[in-house]
Amino acid sequence: MASLSSILVFDSGLGGLTVLREIVAARPDAHYVYVADDAFFPYGHHTEDQIVARVVPLIGELIDAHAPDLVVIACNTASTLVMSYLRSAYKIPFVGTVPAIKPACAQSKTKRVSVLGTKGTVQREYTKALIRDFAHGCEVTLVGSPELASLAENALSGHPVGDEDIVAELAPCFVGDGADPTARTDTVVLACTHYPLLLDRLVRLAPWPVAWIDPAPAIARRVSDLLGPTGAAMDGAGAEMIFTSKRPHRLSSALMPFFGGRVPA
């Protein structure tokens, strides 16, 4: 009988659930451990050195505790900083999450693309290098949102989040002549895994229609490729939810869709 693969998905908070959802759909035959580093959330409030010093040893501790076959860093901020350190330190496969600038610019018809991320992600040299390499003549607007990740966490946790708060974070993404569909932003990269948690509201509150680029499906395909052929779902293919603050999670009904209908332990 084939052994059960175990996948550890790591994020600063609950945003990585949007990545987990796609991976579970692609690989229902795996066991999942989701780790939210809420004790250090939000990462945007820390320096790059602090994030590296926090995440690299923490991932080592999680590998020792859970023995995953593969680790997904479902966080743009962390991925743009720590992937090289992780791959040097630990001998298991890692899959990161980086702004999907290449596909966004390739599909944009108006050549006006916005990248919506945390302040740290949009300021990082890694993101600027992606633009240099893959913009292909696009005008790329970088929008560093100070609060949208926290708003997404609050919304998932059942706390009220006003439309006006979301609009304030979203508005700088929309550039150009709103009355002319050929001369305005037509594509927005969601460069934080928290943001798809609010996608329905982003679509509704946008001043005009755009394509929203979520990297999660591509990440799921990469994970599945690394794991190899899909096996039959097994009894042990459950799920665990861990907060680094040690607080218990009380979101079972809200979390089940992200875990493919499983109740996370």
Side-chain angles (χ1 to χ4, degrees):
M1 180 180 293
S3 60
L4 180 68
S5 294
S6 177
I7 300 172
L8 191 147
V9 179
F10 177 87
D11 183 35
S12 61
L14 300 179
L17 292 170
T18 63
V19 176
L20 174 74
R21 176 173 54 198
E22 297 294 330
I23 300 173
V24 172
R27 299 302 303 235
D29 55 325
H31 177 84
Y32 290 90
V33 180
Y34 185 92
V35 179
D37 189 16
D38 63 326
F40 211 60
F41 179 83
Y43 279 9
H45 289 180
H46 302 285
T47 68
E48 294 185 4
D49 289 345
Q50 288 171 334
I51 293 169
V52 172
R54 166 73 176 182
V55 173
V56 176
L58 176 57
I59 293 296
E61 294 170 11
L62 293 168
I63 290 171
D64 289 343
H66 300 283
D69 297 288
L70 182 148
V71 175
V72 179
I73 305 299
C75 173
N76 285 267
T77 298
S79 294
T80 56
L81 290 173
V82 305
M83 295 303 293
S84 61
Y85 296 99
L86 294 175
R87 288 172 174 145
S88 295
Y90 311 115
K91 303 306 178 187
I92 66 171
F94 288 89
V95 177
T97 307
V98 298
I101 290 168
K102 182 178 180 179
C105 290
Q107 77 172 49
S108 174
K109 300 294 192 297
T110 66
K111 298 301 180 182
R112 288 174 171 84
V113 172
S114 290
V115 178
L116 178 62
T118 65
K119 286 186 172 182
T121 294
V122 301
Q123 292 171 355
R124 201 145 289 133
E125 176 58 29
Y126 191 106
T127 303
K128 295 173 183 176
L130 290 174
I131 295 171
R132 289 195 299 269
D133 291 343
F134 300 117
H136 301 310
C138 282
E139 175 188 315
V140 179
T141 300
L142 294 171
V143 179
S145 169
E147 299 295 339
L148 197 57
S150 295
L151 294 175
E153 291 249 340
N154 289 338
L156 183 62
S157 299
H159 302 299
V161 174
D163 284 353
E164 65 279 4
D165 294 325
I166 296 175
V167 168
E169 305 294 305
L170 191 61
C173 293
F174 291 83
V175 178
D177 184 354
D180 182 357
T182 69
R184 66 192 189 190
T185 304
D186 71 348
T187 307
V188 176
V189 176
L190 298 175
C192 173
T193 55
H194 281 78
Y195 300 167
L197 293 170
L198 294 171
L199 184 58
D200 289 349
R201 294 179 72 177
L202 299 181
V203 171
R204 175 170 61 82
L205 296 171
W208 59 76
V210 295
W212 303 90
I213 306 299
D214 177 3
I219 295 168
R221 290 192 294 271
R222 177 60 177 158
V223 168
S224 190
D225 288 346
L226 288 171
L227 289 179
T230 305
M234 299 168 65
D235 290 342
E240 302 170 60
M241 178 84 178
I242 297 167
F243 291 99
T244 58
S245 67
K246 309 299 184 184
R247 69 182 173 96
H249 73 79
R250 298 184 178 87
L251 299 170
S252 291
S253 59
L255 295 176
M256 281 178 62
F258 298 100
F259 286 90
R262 310 173 197 189
V263 179

